Amino acid sequence: MRIDIVTIFPEFFDVLDISLLGKARQTGLIDLGVHNLRDATTDRHRTVDDTPYGGGAGMVMKPEPWGQTLDSILDEKKNADAGPLVIFPSPAGEVFTQAMARELVDEEHLVFGCGRYEGIDQRVFDHTAIRARVRLVSLGDYVLNGGEVAVMAMIEAIGRLIPGVVGNPHSLVEESHEDGLLEAPSYTKPSTWRGLDVPPILLSGNHGAIAAWRREQQLERTRRVRPDLLDRAANEGESPSARP
Ligand SMILES: NC(=S)c1ccno1
């Protein structure tokens, strides 16, 4: 997968040199390009923002640097459907979920545009949508100072699903949200710790009973912490257990 990131803080993504994603880059599973929006400016102060038309607080990101930077990333010869997917993190976007991460891991080329200030001139989204698929995506119903933290989270959620990035692919299956439920609690040695025992069923060696216990734990935890997930599954006509 090719990933391009447009940002005014390129150093923010230095952390993608380490851990599993860093290894994925070294082995060629992920090819990353980070583009400093200020490199597309022409004035001495490398200005990327200006006051909003119509008044209002704060500043808006100018369209010209965005257009020039995206020109260098998007292949004009490809039509919008064949080219990359351009994602702008935004509190006004569709909510990012594990299902979306599973959907996006099949993309060959993702471009992430990190807004700052009060946001990006709307014409950047409109013009980019002429030549590429564009999605505004939100991590949740809260506001960040910019898109970089959200892009980092999305790259991690998507990147770890690329075959070969995570050592044991089975570990991706028994995770929260993979089957519409929260994950069951986990335990390891010692079997007793500060007077707290591991549930005896997990020491029984009865794999069928252990699987049944874990599923019940998932359902109980989901009912208690995220009943909305059960409602969502019901509305989508799926029982959580229906998922493979
Ligand atoms: N909720 C998201 S993704 C966001 C981006 C910028 N501010 O909030």
Side-chain angles (χ1 to χ4, degrees), residues 34 68 82 94 135 148 226 229:
V34 182
Q68 186 175 318
E94 54 188 302
R135 292 173 78 168
E148 285 80 6
R226 287 293 306 278
L229 292 177

Side-chain angles (χ1 to χ4, degrees), residues 89-91 137-140 142-144 146 150:
S90 168
V137 179
S138 174
L139 284 194
Y142 46 81
V143 180
L144 304 169

